[in-house]
């Protein structure tokens, strides 16, 4: 049985994250237009793809909530497959953009867009074919750990304001993974706490971005 209250709260949580990602993406446009800084470009793309990933997640959950609320027949299986693939692709692209924004100077790629798209598609398709969402989560976790490890190793990043933003993003992803994984296995209250913490983290990121731009 599906708890409609949980699903409705998850919808609200997802919508808030989409809104905050959009705000961050729009707020960083001006500074990118002024500086044409590639690091900022990929940093912005992180929130663009992250917002899209949550948008597909929101669309699927809205579709599912409509189905169980009004008890109407809908091809939920096929729709779920497309939603999961698109959400997995976008979330992987978000992490790849975040990673490349930090390593672009030591590993310049002329065709990063093509390379990142191929990697994201492969990871999403493999996760779909193998029916192992854990593969997608593991792949993204490896990329995140690599990124934060590089930031910790590189002394110039440690004193940068951007380091705080990247670390907060890493924290957000970890909290979100726990929140998503706890939907079925942990108490409802724990899931709510994790979601509130996730919103707080992404909210702090938005605040720091606004303060940084000013």
């Amino acid at each position: 049985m599906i708890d409609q209250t949980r699903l409705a709260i998850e919808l609200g949580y997802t919508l808030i994250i989409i809104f905050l990602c959009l705000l961050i993406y729009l707020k960083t446009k001006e500074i990118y237009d002024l500086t044409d800084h590639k690091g900022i470009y990929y940093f912005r793309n992180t929130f663009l793809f992250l917002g899209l990933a949550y948008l597909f997640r929101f669309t699927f959950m809205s579709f599912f909530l409509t189905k169980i609320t009004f008890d109407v027949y809908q091809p939920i299986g096929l729709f779920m497959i497309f939603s999961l693939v698109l959400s997995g692709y976008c979330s992987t692209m978000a992490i790849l953009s975040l990673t490349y924004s930090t390593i672009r100077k030591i590993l310049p790629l002329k065709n990063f867009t093509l390379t990142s798209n191929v990697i994201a598609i492969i990871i999403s398709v493999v996760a779909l074919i193998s029916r192992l969402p854990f593969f997608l989560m593991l792949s993204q976790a490896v990329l995140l750990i690599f990124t934060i490890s590089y930031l910790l190793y590189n002394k110039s990043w440690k004193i940068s304001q951007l380091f705080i933003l990247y670390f907060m993003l890493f924290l957000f992803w970890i909290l979100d993974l726990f929140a998503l994984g706890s939907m079925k296995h942990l108490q409802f209250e724990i899931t709510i706490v994790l979601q509130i913490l996730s919103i707080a983290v992404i909210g702090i990121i938005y605040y720091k971005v606004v303060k940084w731009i000013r």
Side-chain angles (χ1 to χ4, degrees):
M1 296 295 294
I2 302 297
D3 189 330
Q4 294 185 29
T5 302
R6 279 198 176 202
L7 195 56
I9 291 176
E10 181 70 15
L11 276 170
Y13 162 73
T14 304
L15 195 59
I16 292 172
I17 298 298
I18 293 172
F19 178 69
L20 289 172
C21 286
L22 179 61
L23 285 179
I24 295 172
Y25 180 74
L26 293 175
K27 280 292 183 181
T28 51
K29 182 180 186 302
E30 182 179 350
I31 190 171
Y32 172 69
D33 290 340
L34 289 173
T35 62
D36 198 31
H37 193 281
K38 290 300 181 182
I40 296 175
Y41 171 78
Y42 293 115
F43 181 78
R44 294 185 71 227
N45 280 353
T46 297
F47 290 95
L48 173 62
F49 284 112
L50 184 61
L52 287 173
Y54 274 86
L55 179 61
F56 288 121
R57 180 170 159 181
F58 177 82
T59 304
F60 167 70
M61 287 187 297
S62 299
F63 189 82
F64 194 51
L65 184 61
T66 302
K67 173 182 170 62
I68 64 176
T69 300
F70 298 101
D71 194 25
V72 294
Y73 171 76
Q74 292 174 341
I76 193 71
L78 183 63
F79 190 79
M80 180 180 67
I81 290 174
F82 280 109
S83 297
L84 290 177
V85 169
L86 291 173
S87 179
Y89 161 78
C90 288
S91 58
T92 303
M93 282 295 295
I95 297 176
L96 287 171
S97 297
L98 180 69
T99 301
Y100 192 65
S101 67
T102 64
I103 66 170
R104 70 189 189 286
K105 291 183 179 180
I106 63 172
L107 187 63
L109 295 175
K110 293 182 178 179
N111 297 312
F112 170 74
T113 301
L114 176 61
T115 303
S116 59
N117 272 278
V118 170
I119 294 173
I121 291 172
I122 290 175
I123 290 176
S124 300
V125 171
V126 171
L128 174 64
I129 295 175
S130 63
R131 296 184 179 182
L132 292 174
F134 178 74
F135 174 79
L136 178 65
M137 296 170 62
L138 180 62
S139 302
Q140 294 181 354
V142 170
L143 287 170
L144 283 170
I145 292 172
F146 171 78
T147 303
I148 200 67
S149 298
Y150 174 77
L151 294 176
L152 290 171
Y153 176 77
N154 193 320
K155 293 182 179 179
S156 63
W157 277 94
K158 290 182 181 180
I159 59 174
S160 170
Q161 288 294 322
L162 281 176
F163 173 78
I164 300 175
L165 296 178
Y166 282 89
F167 183 79
M168 295 297 288
L169 262 176
F170 176 78
L171 180 61
F172 165 76
W173 243 297
I174 296 299
L175 286 170
D176 187 59
L177 286 176
F178 275 108
L180 187 60
S182 69
M183 287 291 289
K184 294 181 180 179
H185 305 293
L186 295 181
Q187 292 182 357
F188 182 50
E189 291 77 8
I190 297 178
T191 300
I192 295 297
V193 170
L194 290 172
Q195 290 177 340
I196 291 173
L197 289 174
S198 296
I199 292 173
V201 170
I202 202 86
I204 292 171
I205 293 174
Y206 170 70
Y207 170 77
K208 288 191 172 292
V209 165
V210 173
K211 188 176 179 182
W212 175 42
I213 293 174
R214 289 177 181 175

